[in-house]
Amino acid sequence: MAKNKSQDGRGPSQRQLRVGELIRRTLSEVLSRGDIHDPDLNRMSITVGEVRTSSDLKIATAYVLPLGGQGDGDFLKLLARNKYELRRAVGKKLGLKHTPDLRFQIDGTFDQMDATRRMLEQDVVRRDIEE
């Protein structure tokens, strides 16, 4: 059994990165056009920030966030409820031999950026940076 490259310190392979980006673009396109047959999901504007794939490309984790960052739990439930239709749309578009199983998580990147920005604005940190 092959080791997961992201766990041995080398990071994801070029293929993982390429497939993840293709899935991200496809999910963004499908969600923005409202191609899913769920009116509740079509009413929401969801940003797909990143998609990470497992080393064997069987699992794709999409990091998503609703526009404005509101309704955290609701939109994840809607995505999970429609994951088979989303997976089918991704499979049609990409033409991979096996379409990865889709999983959804809240994208915490924006929160991390805000926390870093607040930390850098502190007087103690600013003083250390200027020295």
Side-chain angles (χ1 to χ4, degrees):
M1 187 161 116
K3 285 174 98 177
N4 186 346
K5 291 186 181 200
S6 62
Q7 290 179 350
D8 66 6
R10 291 186 291 178
S13 68
Q14 286 296 315
R15 180 174 167 95
Q16 284 175 276
L17 294 172
R18 187 172 61 244
V19 170
E21 180 60 19
L22 289 171
I23 293 171
R24 187 196 69 76
R25 287 182 188 175
T26 303
L27 283 174
S28 293
E29 186 178 303
V30 167
L31 291 170
S32 68
R33 284 194 323 227
D35 289 348
I36 304 303
H37 295 98
D38 187 340
D40 295 331
L41 186 60
N42 289 335
R43 275 186 241 133
M44 300 189 84
S45 181
I46 297 173
T47 302
V48 183
E50 180 183 8
V51 175
R52 295 181 190 165
T53 60
S54 61
S55 59
D56 58 3
L57 301 179
K58 290 187 178 185
I59 299 171
T61 303
Y63 294 88
V64 294
L65 194 65
L67 190 63
Q70 299 171 348
D72 290 342
D74 295 340
F75 83 99
L76 283 178
K77 290 176 188 172
L78 288 171
L79 288 170
R81 186 170 70 196
N82 293 286
K83 90 175 190 176
Y84 296 107
E85 191 173 356
L86 290 165
R87 184 178 181 206
R88 189 176 68 232
V90 167
K92 271 173 115 173
K93 180 82 172 181
L94 296 185
L96 293 171
K97 186 174 181 179
H98 299 286
T99 305
D101 182 36
L102 296 177
R103 298 184 181 166
F104 300 97
Q105 289 188 5
I106 295 175
D107 189 356
T109 306
F110 298 108
D111 293 336
Q112 291 172 350
M113 288 184 345
D114 287 341
T116 302
R117 192 175 298 119
R118 281 193 303 272
M119 182 183 70
L120 291 173
E121 290 174 353
Q122 293 176 359
D123 291 334
V124 175
V125 175
R126 191 178 305 135
R127 183 187 66 218
D128 289 343
I129 292 173
E130 290 173 357
E131 288 179 359

